[in-house]
Amino acid sequence: MELPQHHDVVLLLGAPGAGKGTQARFLAETLGVPHVASGDLLREHRNRGDELGKAAQVYMDRGDLVPDTLVVDMIMHRLNEPDAADGALLDGFPRTIGQAHALDAALVERGLPIRRAVYLEVSRGTLTDRLSGRWTCPSCQSTYHDRFSPSPAAPLCGRCGGVLYQREDDRREAVENRINVYLRDTTPVIDHYDRLGVLARVNGDGEIEQVRDALRLAVDPVPVPVPAHVAA
Ligand code: ADP
Ligand code: ADP
Ligand code: ZN
């Protein structure tokens, strides 16, 4: 069966610091769907100081996961907005089996298939190198790296001029915890989508451009084979 070009959901899975946010910005544009990042949304709530933001703060500071009910409600709310009616690129969600089951059920109800769950695979040493040098924009949530991907306007954001900062949870103690939480709670999510037959593994250790090309291939709808005499 041929998949439609835009009308479906792509999941971007991977450890903290794997490069999900960096790649999602390109990929969402390629796919023509909005980029929905649970971490970005939670930080926006926290910055606004609303009830969800206050409830999430203590978990986020420790590097623990925010409880499923809060995160699932937030994402469902976001997916109900008109720009997500035809699909979305989900970054950082689902992160637990409970979240995955809630998402699967909601998508079945909406008639939106999951085109791919892409697992951005990165070695542990690379993760800590990336997180320790990460600088984040408070306004548009773009990320930079002081060595691997500096902002052309440092110390300001090259996209919107925001003053870049280092996330509190990118400190070493919180990083160790986040990686352990990821291994315990999120690895089963990867197995879940593997069993459903939608998982694609992409090596995330390379340069940003290399990873971007590999990701584009991984989310392409299966190409219709061109007969040899036409291709020639
Ligand atoms: P990273 O990009 O480093 O993987 P995120 O920005 O996605 O981190 O998430 C930051 C924090 O927000 C997490 O450590 C966690 O506390 C919370 N968070 C983000 N997404 C989820 C989720 N799907 N479920 C529970 N907590 C989440
Ligand atoms: P995630 O959203 O998965 O937590 P980010 O996209 O924020 O990860 O990337 C983490 C850090 O690593 C950022 O500082 C980013 O600039 C940098 N980074 C992302 N991809 C690469 C890459 N392929 N090579 C080197 N550094 C990268
Ligand atoms: Zn910015």
Side-chain angles (χ1 to χ4, degrees):
M1 191 188 70
E2 202 185 329
L3 293 162
Q5 187 64 44
H6 296 314
H7 297 212
D8 40 27
V9 169
V10 171
L11 313 181
L12 201 46
L13 308 169
K20 299 181 298 296
T22 301
Q23 298 298 338
R25 277 161 226 283
F26 303 122
L27 201 56
E29 210 171 290
T30 304
L31 294 166
V33 296
H35 169 209
V36 174
S38 47
D40 290 1
L41 291 172
L42 287 168
R43 278 185 293 280
E44 284 166 15
H45 282 282
R46 200 191 50 196
N47 292 346
R48 283 201 292 271
D50 62 19
E51 222 168 290
L52 172 56
K54 280 187 217 149
Q57 168 107 48
V58 32
Y59 300 99
M60 295 173 79
D61 285 346
R62 285 201 301 255
D64 287 335
L65 293 180
V66 175
D68 282 354
T69 47
L70 298 179
V71 180
V72 167
D73 274 2
M74 176 186 76
I75 292 289
M76 292 312 152
H77 207 261
R78 177 64 187 88
L79 293 180
N80 280 336
E81 286 176 31
D83 65 333
D86 290 335
L89 173 62
L90 291 178
D91 160 8
F93 180 92
R95 253 174 160 94
T96 66
I97 280 290
Q99 292 177 18
H101 288 152
L103 176 69
D104 295 352
L107 292 180
V108 166
E109 203 172 287
R110 283 158 214 238
L112 279 176
I114 293 178
R115 184 194 288 191
R116 284 280 185 283
V118 186
Y119 172 29
L120 204 51
E121 274 183 292
V122 166
S123 58
R124 189 163 178 150
T126 305
L127 294 177
T128 39
D129 284 351
R130 287 186 184 173
L131 291 173
S132 61
R134 170 157 74 181
W135 288 81
T136 301
C137 175
S139 312
C140 74
Q141 309 245 24
S142 291
T143 58
Y144 300 90
H145 193 281
D146 50 22
R147 281 179 292 145
F148 307 143
S149 178
S151 167
L156 306 180
C157 173
R159 294 187 188 85
C160 79
V163 183
L164 301 177
Y165 76 108
Q166 286 193 294
R167 273 168 50 178
E168 192 65 21
D169 60 342
D170 282 345
R171 286 171 302 113
R172 186 159 299 279
E173 315 81 76
V175 163
E176 286 299 308
N177 187 39
R178 280 159 67 207
I179 294 174
N180 290 334
V181 166
Y182 163 79
L183 292 172
R184 188 189 64 211
D185 293 337
T186 309
T187 313
V189 174
I190 293 163
D191 296 339
H192 169 76
Y193 288 108
D194 199 7
R195 280 195 298 274
L196 291 182
V198 293
L199 192 77
R201 291 169 196 272
V202 168
N203 179 359
D205 266 319
E207 306 260 317
I208 291 177
E209 291 72 22
Q210 262 176 307
V211 177
R212 174 166 59 190
D213 293 344
L215 271 167
R216 283 211 176 116
L217 281 179
V219 300
D220 247 5
V222 182
V224 182
V226 179
H229 66 277
V230 178

